[in-house]
Amino acid sequence: MTELSATPSHTVGPFYGYALPFPGGGEMAPAGHADAITLHGYVYDGAGAPVPDALVELWQAAPDGSLAGAPGSMRRSPVTGGFLGRNGVDFTGFGRIATDADGHWSARTLPPGAPATPYVSVCLHARGLLHHLFTRVYFPENAEANATDPLLASLDPSRRETLVARPGSQPGTYRFDIRLQGEGETVFLEFR
């Protein structure tokens, strides 16, 4: 009997986001909403190069902490089945944004609320990943709640800062970069 050697592992790619992103996928909050914030950033690979074909998915609680969200984050025409867009009124708590050629993504949302520490859940799909990655975005103005969050408290301070968005130059803007490997690598979560 001949013993076969194991097949070497390899990455999957390129990543095709066909039918996953949709127009307005980052418009989680209605345009002109008084409390809307902009959360944006870049996705970088292990060499520090931007990832132009990643897909960033956001899930979060509403400002009142509820998780129900409004149904139908993407509406389709009952006649053609084509994309009609979000209704522009309701907050759904869900966004799906493709990165551009520079690896940049951006979402208009509302500040998350929660009974404990407010955060935005992130799911990242990208070329070279065998499995999508999960992480979180915390906000700097919630420093007191962040200090008592079990996940943040379990991390070394230098690793903890990879999960906290930085305030932007404009009020209501936050930057959150996702680094897949190397120096400043984002903390990723494993669910079992």
Side-chain angles (χ1 to χ4, degrees):
M1 180 170 187
T2 306
E3 186 174 320
L4 300 175
S5 59
T7 303
S9 65
H10 61 280
T11 59
V12 173
F15 170 71
Y16 296 105
Y18 176 74
L20 290 175
F22 56 94
E27 298 167 7
M28 299 164 63
H33 192 288
D35 297 326
I37 62 172
T38 299
L39 179 61
H40 74 102
Y42 291 83
V43 178
Y44 296 108
D45 67 14
V51 179
D53 58 354
L55 185 71
V56 178
E57 221 174 68
L58 305 176
W59 299 83
Q60 71 172 85
D64 66 2
S66 68
L67 295 173
S73 59
M74 181 176 72
R75 297 179 308 134
R76 293 194 176 276
S77 166
V79 177
T80 67
F83 178 75
L84 283 178
R86 296 184 190 238
N87 69 14
V89 177
D90 295 315
F91 173 74
T92 64
F94 172 75
R96 185 180 284 155
I97 310 106
T99 56
D100 65 16
D102 294 324
H104 185 256
W105 61 274
S106 181
R108 182 181 63 240
T109 188
L110 297 177
T117 309
Y119 61 85
V120 174
S121 295
V122 178
C123 180
L124 179 72
H125 304 261
R127 62 182 154 94
L129 296 179
L130 295 176
H131 301 284
H132 44 273
L133 301 173
F134 297 97
T135 191
R136 291 181 178 176
V137 181
Y138 292 87
F139 294 89
E141 64 270 11
N142 300 325
E144 191 173 307
N146 291 351
T148 62
D149 182 79
L151 172 63
L152 290 176
S154 72
L155 300 171
D156 177 83
S158 66
R159 301 287 291 139
R160 186 180 312 136
E161 68 186 33
T162 71
L163 297 181
V164 180
R166 295 187 319 266
S169 58
Q170 300 294 318
T173 62
Y174 298 89
R175 182 167 172 175
F176 183 76
D177 293 337
I178 301 169
R179 297 185 185 281
L180 298 176
Q181 292 178 321
E183 188 175 334
E185 177 184 336
T186 301
V187 171
F188 296 106
L189 310 175
E190 182 177 297
F191 295 99
R192 295 179 189 183

